Every structure is written in structure tokens, then in C-alpha cells.
Amino acid sequence: MYLDRVDLFDGLSDEQAEVLKSRSRVRNFAPNTIVVNEGDDGSSLFVVQSGALKAYLTDNIGREVTLSLLDPGDYFGELALLDDAPRSASVIALTRSEVLQIPRVAFLALIEAHPACMQIVVRNLVGRIRNLTESVRSLALVDVFGRIARVFESLAVETDGVGIIDRRLTQQDLANMVGASREMVNRILRDMVSGGYVEIEPHRIIVRKKLPRHW
């Protein structure tokens, strides 16, 4: 995975990206392995090179909220490049995964040698924050049907005129992503299937036609 394909580093020169790569290391994780825990000390950014991971939060009684699903080219732990605060979320490998671990010291060395790189990274982080704001808006202002529709739209890859979500998503997975009960998600999925909008297979979901924002 070349770092110029990662939006956080969009704008770095090939030489600057190579400096980061040369000071980083590749790590491999088996399925269901915790990569980082919420509250751990953070000193590295991780870039997904292969596999699938999930970033999530849990409360003290074990309830879980999924923040994002991570595929090749995605990244997590970016705040560790800028501060010494503990990890704000946990990340688990859903499948066998390979990630590039970029230490904060490598990033700071790059900034010291090329100060303009900080402006590039901060600009790209602002774009990420805007996306997070839209996610919060969705949770606060959009009904559950609309939240599920947005999740499907964000994950689907258009293939032969339909959207393919090529991963296994359980009803509980979706419930954790949209902040709803599994029972509510079950009812909405049944409606989507009966309306001809989606087709649910054991290891993928097919979006047959554009989903309305409201039901």
C-alpha cells in the first residue's frame, strides 16, 4: 500500500512518503485480535494494507457502538501523531489483516525536516472531522431506516448496475453501527427485502435499487 493512496497523506511528495514508510513496520493480525484498546497509550498511526478491521467503543456493561469499518487504504490512530492522550477507541481485526504502523517519532522527524507537511496533514484531518460531523448529524437527526440506508450506500461498490457489500454484516453489526436495537434493524431489513431494495445473502448484501431516505 503506497501512502499516496491514503487521504491523510494526500499532498506529500513521493520522497516524503518514502521517509515515513522506511521508519515504519508492517504488522499482521489474526481474525478477532485486538489491535488497540481504548485507553491504551497511543504513539502510532496505523494504515490498513489488507484485511478488514472495526473501530468501536464499549461501555461498562458491555454495550458496543461501531464507529467505522476499516478496509485497505483506511487508517486509524491518527490523533496519536499529534498528542499524548490515550487511545479514544478500540480496533479489532475482523479477518486476517496487515497494517503499516507509523510511529509518532517518524512523523515528527518528517515535520522537522519538512515543516510544510504539517499543513498538509492538518488540512486532511479537517476533512476527516467534517465527515465525523456528518456521522453525528445522521445519528441525531436521521431515523433508523435512513441510517441503515446511509451505511449501505457508504459500503456498497457498484457492480453490473447493483451495489455489492462484499462482507458479512449481522443484524447486531448493523445495530451497533446505527445506534438501534437488533429487533428494530430486523424489522427494517425485512421491509427493505420485501420492497425489493436489497437482497441479503450469507456473506454479502446486494443493493438492487436506490434506497429512500425515509420509510
Side-chain angles (χ1 to χ4, degrees):
M1 174 64 64
Y2 295 104
L3 291 183
D4 59 7
R5 300 179 192 171
V6 179
D7 59 17
L8 179 63
F9 299 117
D10 182 29
L12 297 187
S13 69
D14 292 343
E15 178 185 359
Q16 292 162 351
E18 191 60 39
V19 168
L20 282 181
K21 286 178 61 178
S22 67
R23 299 179 180 179
S24 305
R25 66 175 177 133
V26 174
R27 299 185 61 188
N28 291 279
F29 295 92
N32 300 314
T33 301
I34 301 293
V35 181
V36 299
N37 268 311
E38 181 182 358
D40 285 352
D41 291 338
S43 60
S44 300
L45 162 76
F46 296 87
V47 176
V48 183
Q49 299 198 131
S50 65
L53 303 95
K54 177 178 70 174
Y56 65 97
L57 299 172
T58 54
D59 63 15
N60 56 9
I61 61 173
R63 291 179 300 187
E64 180 181 306
V65 174
T66 298
L67 299 178
S68 60
L69 299 176
L70 303 163
D71 294 312
D74 292 330
Y75 58 90
F76 58 94
E78 64 275 12
L79 296 181
L81 297 181
L82 304 174
D83 65 20
D84 295 316
R87 296 290 186 190
S88 58
S90 300
V91 176
I92 186 172
L94 301 177
T95 65
R96 185 168 297 280
S97 301
E98 181 179 275
V99 300
L100 183 69
Q101 183 175 4
I102 302 175
R104 179 167 60 236
V105 291
F107 174 74
L108 294 178
L110 176 67
I111 296 302
E112 184 176 354
H114 305 279
C117 291
M118 176 62 84
Q119 183 177 358
I120 292 172
V121 172
V122 169
R123 180 197 66 205
N124 294 335
L125 280 174
V126 168
R128 190 170 178 90
I129 292 169
R130 291 187 187 280
N131 290 335
L132 290 173
T133 301
E134 286 303 310
S135 296
V136 173
R137 184 197 306 274
S138 175
L139 286 174
L141 302 178
V142 179
D143 63 19
V144 177
F145 181 94
R147 291 180 223 161
I148 294 175
R150 290 188 180 194
V151 168
F152 284 173
E153 288 175 358
S154 69
L155 296 177
V157 176
E158 186 171 346
T159 306
D160 297 328
V162 298
I164 302 296
I165 302 173
D166 196 17
R167 65 167 77 231
R168 183 177 181 273
L169 284 177
T170 67
Q171 292 177 6
Q172 189 60 58
D173 290 334
L174 281 170
N176 292 344
M177 294 175 74
V178 302
S181 68
R182 189 188 63 79
E183 292 75 17
M184 174 68 76
V185 169
N186 176 270
R187 290 197 297 271
I188 290 173
L189 290 179
R190 287 203 308 265
D191 287 345
M192 287 181 171
V193 170
S194 64
Y197 289 98
V198 302
E199 181 180 337
I200 299 176
E201 298 181 352
H203 295 286
R204 69 175 187 171
I205 297 172
I206 303 173
V207 182
R208 292 290 181 187
K209 55 185 178 180
K210 184 173 178 60
L211 290 159
R213 289 299 184 188
H214 305 282
W215 196 238

